[in-house]
Amino acid sequence: MKNIISLLVCSLIFSTAIMAQELKDLEYVSPFHDEMAAVKKGGMWAFIDMDGKVVIDYRDDLVLANESLMACSTTDASMNYPFFQNGRALIRKMKEGVAYYGYINSKGETVIEADFINATHFHNNRAIVLKVFKESIGRNEILGKNVVSYSYNEEVINTEGNTVTYLRGPINLVYDKRKLKTPPEIQSRFLGPNLISIKSENDTWKVQTINRK
């Protein structure tokens, strides 16, 4: 029995030492959002809970944002870091040299696939995304390959990834990784829980309600 107790105590001490080591030499610690804080180490980011436990391990696909974009600012607004809002955090995946955006949940699981050419963080359980569409428009016999056309719609999605409001589109997309180093700009802005403003091609704005789905 004494050996078992000693083994358990050693295991606890060892686990505590590992936890303490994980949280040493951090380059940045963010404020809490959705009861989770981002910590940076070695150029990668992880998330800790309110007890200081690492709940999402260090990774390099998290999208950083300036705190001034959030509802309230409590620290240095010049620092960019990943954060959770409405149980979702924004991630970025590279496909054929082009960045696509999606979302993970508080367990680090991808719950909305990285299929968007641009996306915002969630706000009041809604996010604005640019959804890409790929269409085959024929075949180039000389080159021996199909000719493909790309476009995107600007839409509002819920935390399940379902479209709740169409905003604008389709908009032609030149699918070239050199031209898509910077993603197309999202032209809409949230005004409130159920209102959004949309910028038109002639630089005027319209206000539209968001479906409550």
Side-chain angles (χ1 to χ4, degrees):
M1 177 63 74
K2 288 182 65 177
N3 290 338
I4 294 176
I5 293 174
S6 298
L7 182 61
L8 290 174
V9 171
C10 289
S11 297
L12 179 60
I13 294 173
F14 182 70
S15 298
T16 304
I18 291 177
M19 180 61 69
Q21 185 178 6
E22 287 179 341
L23 297 180
K24 284 183 178 180
D25 304 318
L26 298 176
E27 298 160 24
Y28 187 77
V29 180
S30 81
F32 278 94
H33 299 276
D34 276 11
E35 298 187 345
M36 299 179 73
V39 294
K40 183 181 181 183
K41 185 176 182 179
M44 296 196 295
W45 293 86
F47 283 99
I48 60 173
D49 62 15
M50 299 291 285
D51 295 321
K53 178 183 176 183
V54 176
V55 290
I56 296 178
D57 207 356
Y58 294 94
R59 52 196 293 170
D60 61 3
D61 62 346
L62 294 163
V63 176
L64 315 185
N66 192 291
E67 191 175 1
S68 63
L69 299 177
M70 304 173 207
C72 59
S73 180
T74 57
T75 63
D76 180 9
S78 66
M79 182 62 189
N80 291 339
Y81 57 85
F83 65 94
F84 272 88
Q85 196 91 309
N86 303 138
R88 301 288 182 263
L90 196 57
I91 59 171
R92 176 172 49 236
K93 302 286 187 184
M94 300 302 294
K95 302 179 183 179
E96 300 177 343
V98 177
Y100 282 83
Y101 298 81
Y103 300 86
I104 60 172
N105 62 15
S106 58
K107 296 180 181 179
E109 302 166 334
T110 300
V111 289
I112 302 176
E113 292 295 332
D115 291 333
F116 308 116
I117 203 72
N118 203 351
T120 69
H121 289 79
F122 271 87
H123 179 72
N124 290 318
N125 296 306
R126 300 288 186 266
I128 306 171
V129 300
L130 301 185
K131 183 182 291 187
V132 177
F133 296 91
K134 178 180 177 181
E135 180 184 5
S136 178
I137 57 176
R139 182 172 177 81
N140 188 319
E141 297 298 340
I142 297 176
L143 297 177
K145 63 180 182 179
N146 293 328
V147 179
V148 177
S149 173
Y150 290 89
S151 63
Y152 65 87
N153 285 349
E154 191 163 327
E155 303 177 357
V156 177
I157 61 170
N158 59 22
T159 53
E160 303 304 314
N162 300 320
T163 299
V164 296
T165 300
Y166 164 84
L167 299 176
R168 65 188 188 102
I171 300 163
N172 290 332
L173 177 67
V174 179
Y175 198 85
D176 186 309
K177 64 182 180 181
R178 293 168 297 179
K179 295 185 177 181
L180 290 175
K181 285 183 178 180
T182 301
E185 184 179 354
I186 292 174
Q187 298 289 346
S188 305
R189 303 290 183 268
F190 288 113
L191 297 177
N194 301 305
L195 278 180
I196 198 165
S197 60
I198 308 166
K199 189 177 182 180
S200 65
E201 293 181 0
N202 60 2
D203 288 336
T204 61
W205 293 83
K206 71 174 181 178
V207 175
Q208 181 173 323
T209 58
I210 302 172
N211 293 335
R212 302 182 183 184
K213 293 182 181 179

